Amino acid sequence: MSQSPSANPSQQAQRPQLALLIRLGAAFVLTIMLVFVKLVTESGVTLTETLFWRQLPTVPVLLLWFAMRRELGTLKTRRLGAHFRRAALGLLGMFLNFGAVTLLPLAEATTLNFTTAIWAVILSALILRERVGLWRWSAVLLGFAGVIVIAQPGQGNIPLFGAAVALAAAFTIALISIQIRDLSRTEPSLTIVFWFSAFSLPLLALAMPFVATAHTPYQWSLLAGLGLFGLLGQFLLTAALRYGAVASVIVMDYSSLIWATLLGWWVFDRLPPAATWLGAPLIVAAGLVIAWREHRLSIERARSLVGE
C-alpha cells in the first residue's frame, strides 16, 4: 500500500497558502461551535458535561475513518508522553475558552482570545529564550492597551472575571500551538486530534456521574451540533499548524471577529459596545504586527542559512 499523504508530515510542512485557507475555515467553524457552547450552557447543561459531549464523537469517528481507509497503523506513536501533555493542557484550554464564552458576550470573548499572538511573543522570550526586538515588544504593549480599553476596569462594561478567564484561555492556547507545531513534525494531524480526545475523554468521564443530568431534545441537538463543529474545527486547526508556521496562520483567526459579531447580533441580539470597537483594532493591529515581524524574521533566517 502506498504511503498516504498524512503519513509523512515533513514533506507537507511548507505549504503556507494551504495553511492560511485551512485556518480561515477553522475560524468560521470554531465560531459556530462557540455559539453552540453558549446556547447549550445557557440551557442549563454544565460546562464539564458540555466538554464531555464535545470530545466524545472524536474517538469513534476517527477510529471508523482509519479503519475504512485501512490506516489504523497511523495512530501508532512513540510520543505518548508528548500527546498526554498536549491533552492535559488542551483540556485546560477548552475549560477556559468555553468558560470565557459563557461569561462574556461572543464578540468580546473572541476579541480577547486574539491575545494569543501576544502571549506567544512573551513565551518565546521567557521559555525559548528568543530575542524579541522593539517591533514585537511594541506590539505587545499595543495589544494590552486594547485589552484595557475593552475591559475598562472599574466601569463594569464586561465582567472582569470573564475577561481574566478569556486572557488565561489565550495564554493556554499559545502554549498549545507550540506543542502542536512540535508534534506535527512527526505526527499526522488526525493522530494528534485522536490522542487529544483519547486522553482527555476518560478524565471528563470520571466527572460525569456528578454533573450529568437528563436533557431535552433541544439540548441534545445543541450538544450534537457542538460535537460536529468541534470535531471539524479541531481537525482544521491542527491541519493548519501542520502546513504552516504558527505566526503565519494565526492571522486568519481575526476573521472570526466578523463571524462572532454577526452571530452575536443574530443569535443573541447583542452588538459590541463602543469600548470593544475601539479596543479590538488595537489587539488585531498588535497581532498583525507580530505576524509581519515573524514573517520577516523567518525570511532573514532562511537567507542566513543559504548564505552559510
Side-chain angles (χ1 to χ4, degrees), residues 239-301:
L241 291 174
R242 174 184 175 82
Y243 292 116
V246 173
S248 299
V249 301
I250 208 170
V251 175
M252 294 295 100
D253 288 1
Y254 299 117
S255 65
S256 61
L257 180 56
I258 299 173
W259 308 122
T261 301
L262 293 175
L263 290 170
W265 177 40
W266 179 43
V267 179
F268 303 103
D269 194 26
R270 176 172 179 128
L271 284 172
T276 302
W277 291 111
L278 292 173
L282 299 179
I283 297 175
V284 171
L288 292 175
V289 169
I290 291 169
W292 167 78
R293 188 55 183 161
E294 292 284 354
H295 177 68
R296 296 295 305 172
L297 290 173
S298 65
I299 293 176
E300 292 174 7
R301 285 193 290 266

Side-chain angles (χ1 to χ4, degrees), residues 122-134:
I122 297 174
L123 289 172
S124 66
L126 297 179
I127 298 178
L128 302 179
R129 302 297 181 182
E130 180 181 336
R131 182 180 177 274
V132 176
L134 180 62

Side-chain angles (χ1 to χ4, degrees), residues 67-112:
M68 291 175 59
R69 294 171 60 90
R70 298 182 180 179
E71 295 178 355
L72 285 172
T74 306
L75 298 178
K76 293 181 180 179
T77 180
R78 296 181 178 179
R79 305 185 65 185
L80 281 177
H83 282 291
F84 180 79
R85 289 191 295 273
R86 182 268 183 272
L89 196 60
L91 191 57
L92 174 61
M94 287 180 64
F95 264 108
L96 293 171
N97 194 32
F98 285 16
V101 171
T102 65
L103 294 168
L104 297 172
L106 194 60
E108 280 79 353
T110 300
T111 301
L112 293 177

Side-chain angles (χ1 to χ4, degrees), residues 4-279:
S4 66
S6 63
N8 194 348
S10 62
Q11 293 181 357
Q12 300 180 1
Q14 303 300 320
R15 301 180 66 179
Q17 292 181 338
L18 177 60
L20 292 175
L21 288 175
I22 294 174
R23 189 79 174 208
L24 184 63
F28 175 68
V29 169
L30 291 174
T31 303
I32 295 178
M33 182 199 71
L34 293 179
V35 172
F36 279 103
V37 170
K38 197 167 183 66
L39 287 172
V40 77
T41 53
E42 286 183 354
S43 74
V45 180
T46 64
L47 186 57
T48 301
E49 190 174 0
T50 299
L51 286 170
F52 174 81
W53 292 110
R54 154 65 183 88
Q55 291 294 79
L56 182 62
T58 305
V59 173
V61 167
L62 289 183
L63 284 175
L64 179 61
W65 170 262
F66 284 119
M68 291 175 59
R69 294 171 60 90
R70 298 182 180 179
E71 295 178 355
L72 285 172
T74 306
L75 298 178
K76 293 181 180 179
T77 180
R78 296 181 178 179
R79 305 185 65 185
L80 281 177
H83 282 291
F84 180 79
R85 289 191 295 273
R86 182 268 183 272
L89 196 60
L91 191 57
L92 174 61
M94 287 180 64
F95 264 108
L96 293 171
N97 194 32
F98 285 16
V101 171
T102 65
L103 294 168
L104 297 172
L106 194 60
E108 280 79 353
T110 300
T111 301
L112 293 177
N113 186 261
F114 292 156
T115 58
T116 297
I118 299 170
W119 292 119
V121 171
I122 297 174
L123 289 172
S124 66
L126 297 179
I127 298 178
L128 302 179
R129 302 297 181 182
E130 180 181 336
R131 182 180 177 274
V132 176
L134 180 62
W135 276 104
R136 286 185 289 175
W137 281 128
S138 299
V140 169
L141 294 176
L142 180 65
F144 281 124
V147 171
I148 293 174
V149 170
I150 292 174
Q152 292 191 342
Q155 300 299 316
N157 288 327
I158 63 172
L160 290 183
F161 178 69
V165 171
L167 291 174
F171 176 79
T172 308
I173 292 170
L175 285 174
I176 294 168
S177 296
I178 295 173
Q179 285 184 321
I180 292 176
R181 183 61 178 169
D182 175 63
L183 280 168
S184 295
R185 300 181 190 279
T186 59
E187 312 287 288
S189 303
L190 288 179
T191 301
I192 299 173
V193 174
F194 173 82
W195 285 110
F196 171 40
S197 294
F199 278 125
S200 61
L201 194 58
L203 298 176
L204 292 167
L206 291 175
M208 284 295 286
F210 304 98
V211 299
T213 58
H215 300 316
T216 65
Y218 170 69
Q219 289 173 320
W220 280 121
S221 66
L222 293 177
L223 289 169
L226 169 65
L228 174 63
F229 282 96
L231 176 60
L232 178 59
Q234 184 67 51
F235 169 68
L236 293 175
L237 191 68
T238 304
L241 291 174
R242 174 184 175 82
Y243 292 116
V246 173
S248 299
V249 301
I250 208 170
V251 175
M252 294 295 100
D253 288 1
Y254 299 117
S255 65
S256 61
L257 180 56
I258 299 173
W259 308 122
T261 301
L262 293 175
L263 290 170
W265 177 40
W266 179 43
V267 179
F268 303 103
D269 194 26
R270 176 172 179 128
L271 284 172
T276 302
W277 291 111
L278 292 173

